[in-house]
Every structure is written in structure tokens, then in C-alpha cells.
Amino acid sequence: MINKSNEFIRRILNFPAIRPSETVCFSGLVASLIQLGQKICEYKSRTFYTNKKNVRNSIRLIEDILIVLKEIPNGVSRFANSSIVSLSEIHFIFQKFHFLLDDCSREDSRIWILVKSEDVSCQFQMLARAVAVALDVLPLEEMDVSVEVKEVVELVRNQAVKLKFEVEMDDERMQVNVLKILDQLENEVIPESRDLKRVLDYLGIKRWSACNREVKFLDNEMFLEGNTEEKRDMGILSSLMGFMIYCRGTLFDVLDNEAGRQINGGSTNADQVIRFLNLDDFRCPITLEIMSDPVTIASGHTYDRASILKWFRAGNSTCPKTGERLTSIDLVPNFALKVLIKQYCSANGIPFVETGRRNRDAVRFVGSSSVANEQTMKLLASFLVGRLVGGTMEQQNKAAFEIRLLTKTSIFNRSCLVEAGAIPPLLNLVTSRDSSCQENAMATLLNLSKNSKCKSTIVGNEGLFLILDVLKGGLKMEARQHAAGTLFYLTSVEENRKMMGENPEFIPSLLELLRNGTDRGKKNALVTIFGLLMRPENHWRVIAAGLVPLVVNLLKSFEREDLITDSLAVLSTLSERLDGAMAVLYAGALPIIVNVLSSCNSRASKEYCVSLLLALCINGGADAIPVLVKNSSLMGPLYSLLAEGNSKASKKASTLIRILHEYNEKTSSGLITPVFIEDQFINVW
């Protein structure tokens, strides 16, 4: 009867207990109570680092109640209804005790429970008082229990009333220490290492991975708190986040075995779940696109927020999937599904774009980051850059790893590291003959290259060619794909596109990664080539290097939608010019493109398919139009896109249909010669 279905999405110190059904039988309720009480008593074997006395008193209280429950005779029926009401209330309280004890014994939230000790004590106190009330109204006379049991009940009730649940002195002292350190960090005072260690030792945090678990917990709590209207705890969560990140970066010189697994953001159990999931499970039933902000409606079905809002705004009040008329159009965020989608995308190298309203980084740092957190990041950035410059190889690798984590999602952290001068020493590290060190440095540069100031700093320190060396001969494939990703961000600057295009090694090296790399490597190579194509002078260079037949052949074997979309984007860009269109046609791409248009679910892929086919008709009409006219599977997808109305793909589909119809009419009337209509349709671009 415990609400396990909510456990995955339950926030800490929230207790979604459920009252037993009114139809529950008396004996079943008693058995469930005994089972739940025994589970609570099993917490005696758990380790608690805070609230130890409160936990002991609570478990002792439950043990005493179990004595009473086990003495209740089976088969009571005459007064079962009134007894069930009282026992149901005790079951409800037991569930809350179970949740509270579980929270206090979690391995990833120790510093949060320490800081919230006063709230935790109040929760224990309220539950004990609730037990006393429930026992007071328990109809013992109707339950046919012995006098001894009645005396035990009275004893337990009095015990529950008299028990005092308070913040323990040791917990209170450590709370003061934490707040003192936060005050130092806020005032840009570097705290003593021994003070930091004293806090971590008190909480049993002995390893890097244990510290990182605390960081990840606080990060998730900040996200959840950011989705509340009050955002009451955002400030202290942000400060504690900075505190734990500072401890992680400065106190632990060695990464334990869990570090590599934790950087990818997945636990073992989550990985096992993700392994059996299918990408189709994460698609919005309306758009068939991967959901970025899943919400559940009254029918119980889940849709992407933007899609279902559009459906409702069009005047619909039914469930799109079932046609059921809805009693409410309220949207409930499905955080559990969103976490799974993000983990699946991360594990498979698929980009996950958060909606602007829910973007984690925005939630964390726009008006919500505490002063202590921001000052801590600046102190930590200075410390880590110092390690990069003057540390041993092991210290340099550890510092690069920490910076890699810090800059993965946070705009503010990137800015701090760039200001602290992290770029030059990281560029030195990419030449390291230590594969781990090179990979961490290259991954960090990839993260930092998203910062606009970083781009010029990299190029100004001759980083472009150091990154090229990693792209060509990185010690690990991961380093090579990070190098390609870094080059993609650098292609946002026109001067960089010019330098990379004119150098005879960049494009062939990207093609080599595209040919033999991992899926992530291929994606990074494709998007970097796409960036290079923003400079028209680079078109003939990639064509001459043999890109088109390579991409067309890969398009046949790609299963991931993002790789298909990126390949089509490159071919579509090339086909805007005559030489590119001819290269695509001669590579035999037409039937492949039509097949992708007919079979893919991605809206972006369909748009690129239509753009590509239209460009081929305009720039290579004699070779493209007759083939497309004869393809019977083409018109269905084009008319489906046409039905969408206002999208660019719809307009281009309309133009393409008109071209094919005009050609067909001319052919039927005896005018076989294809007509080039470049000027006529130039307005659609």
C-alpha cells in the first residue's frame, strides 16, 4: 500500500502518502500495517549522519506500535468499520515516517538534510503527535484485545506525546560551520581546507564520487525548485551547490572508480532502464518529434507542451490521441519522463534542446544564483587554473576534468574560467601524450568554445592548429570528436571559416572522421562542415574533397534521425549552387532523398528533403525533374507537408508540386524538353 509509483519523482522532504481504500478488509489492513512497520524498523541498520536521536526515537515508537498490532485478533468483523478508520490513519502516518527516514538516510542529500535539520525535527514531532491522536481514538473496546494490550497502547500514546524531537547539538554546531564557510565564500575569503574537511567528515563524504553525488542532488533540487512559484529555497540551494563544488574541486586529488560513470550522468539502474527503451517512446503523438518539455493532460496521455498548447488554442477540448472530451485542460509537467529523455539522449549522443522557459541554466543563473555561489565559482576557477599551470600531470588532469564538468552546461562557469585564463594552459594540455589528459582538455575546450570571448582567445593562441592536430591524430577517438565539435563553434566566426577552408588539412581530416568515426564523431564532423559551408568559397573545396558521395553513401546506413537531418542539411546547402546540385545528382541521391522523405518522422528532415529536392529541380532540372515525376511515392509526402499550411516546408512543397505538374503537362502535350525555371521560383528561399 506504499505509494511506490511516486517514489521516482518525489522531491525530498515531501511525503505523498495515500490513505488506504475504504473497501480494504480489516485483516488485510492490519497485515499491511505490520509489514510497513517492519520495513520502517529495518532502518535501524542504516547509517544516519544527522538527526540520529530523532531517528532512534521514531523507530522505537514504531516498534512499540507493532507490538500492539500483532496482538490484534484476526477475523474481527462486528466493529471493523470504525476500527478501519483509525488503523487507516496509522497506516497513513507510517507511510510518512517511511518517507522521512528514507530521506534522512539518502547517500546524496546529506548536506541538505543537515541544513534542513530544524524542518526535519518538526516533521518527526508532527508525526509523533499524529500517532498519539490516532492511538487515542483507536476503538480498543471494539477490537476485543486484552487488558495488557490496552495498557501498552496507553503507554505508547503517552510516549508519543512526551517525546521531544529537536535539532541535536552536534548537528547545530555543524550547521553553524557550514553557514560560516558560506559567508566566507560570499566575501571572497578562501576557507581553510581543514574547515571544509571537518564538514565532509561529519557527513561521511570521503570520496570524490560521494561529493559529486551531493552536487548532482543539489543541481536537481535547484531545477525542481526553479519550477515552483515561490522559489523559496533557491538561494540556499545555490550556495550549497557552490560549497560542494568547491570541496569537490579542491579537497580530492584522486578520482575514484565512479568518476568516469558519473560524468555521463547515469546511474547503473537508470542505464539498465534506458537500455530497453525505444526512441519512439519519447515522441510527441502530435508532432512525432522527441519531446523537450513533456506534459500530461487529464486523459493521462503525454504530449510536448508546445504541441498540446497549440491544439488547445485551436479550440479543441479533446485528447488528440483518444478523442476523449477533457474535463480540464490543465497541464502537469512530466519530470520523470523528461529525465529519462535527457538520459537517453545523453547516452546515445542525441542533442536535447530544452525549451527556453525551462532551460536549466536560465533557471539556475538568471536571478536565482546566490552571491556565495558566484563568488565560489570565481575562487574555484582561480584555483583550478593554478593547477593547470603549475600542477603535476595528475593534478593537471584532475583540474581539466573538474573544469570539464563545470563548463558542461553553465554559461556563468564558462565565463569565470575564461576570465581566469584557462584557455592557454588547456591548449598546452591537448598536446599531452597522456590520453586521458588530452581528452579532458579537449572536451573542456569544446565546452568553453561556446563562449564568444573564448573563440578569439583560442585562435589568438594558435589553438586552431593544435585542435587540428588532435582531429587528425588524437590518442582517443573521443578526443578527435571533441576536436571536431570545438571547430564547429569556431566556424561561427567568418575569419575562422576562411582560415580553415584555405588550409589543405581541415576538410580532409573532417571527412576522415566522418568516414571512420563514432556516431558522435560523425555528427560533429557534419555540423562543422555545415558551418564551413556558410562561406561560399568553401563549397567547391568540400566537393573536390569528395564529401558528396561519402555523405550520400552514409545516408543509406544512418539510423539516427539527427545524423540523417545533418546529412540532408549539408547536401541541401551544397545544392543551392549549380556545382553542388550536379554533384548530388551524380552521386545517385534522388531515390535516397525521396525514401527519407517518405519514411522519416522528423519535421526537420522532411524540410531539408523538400529544400534539397527543390534545389535539385532548380539547378539540375534536366536530370532531376523527369526522375521525380516518375516516382509514385513522392506526391503523398509532399501533399502531407502542404496540408501544414504556413511552414517553410509547406511553401517549398507547394512550389515543388507545381514544378512537377508543369513538367508533366508539358510532357503530355508533346513538349519533352525540360524547362529550367531558376528565376521563376527564387522567391521561396
Side-chain angles (χ1 to χ4, degrees), residues 453-488:
K453 186 177 179 180
C454 177
K455 296 178 176 65
S456 58
T457 307
I458 289 176
V459 176
N461 286 272
E462 298 185 355
L464 207 54
F465 302 102
L466 293 173
I467 295 169
L468 173 61
D469 290 339
V470 178
L471 176 64
K472 291 191 299 181
L475 300 175
K476 295 169 69 175
M477 180 58 73
E478 289 81 0
R480 294 177 61 196
Q481 66 193 30
H482 294 324
T486 306
L487 292 177
F488 164 68

Side-chain angles (χ1 to χ4, degrees), residues 561-580:
E561 282 185 2
D562 59 321
L563 291 176
I564 293 172
T565 301
D566 293 335
S567 299
L568 292 168
V570 168
L571 294 178
S572 179
T573 303
L574 285 172
S575 297
E576 293 173 8
R577 299 163 67 95
L578 182 59
D579 54 350

Side-chain angles (χ1 to χ4, degrees), residues 14 38 56 61 81 187 213 217 226 296 300 332 362 404 462 478 490 509 520 547 646 657:
N14 281 267
Q38 289 171 339
R56 286 197 303 270
L61 182 64
N81 288 339
N187 291 286
R213 278 196 296 269
F217 165 79
T296 302
V332 179
R404 178 181 181 179
E462 298 185 355
E478 289 81 0
L490 296 180
S509 300
R520 290 193 185 191
L547 172 72
N646 296 322
I657 290 170

Side-chain angles (χ1 to χ4, degrees), residues 67-68 100 143 284 297 356 375 416 468 539 611 613 652 659:
I67 295 173
V68 174
L100 182 55
M143 297 173 68
C284 173
I297 63 174
Q375 299 303 332
C416 287
L468 173 61
H539 280 229
S611 297
L613 292 174
K652 292 180 180 181
I659 290 174

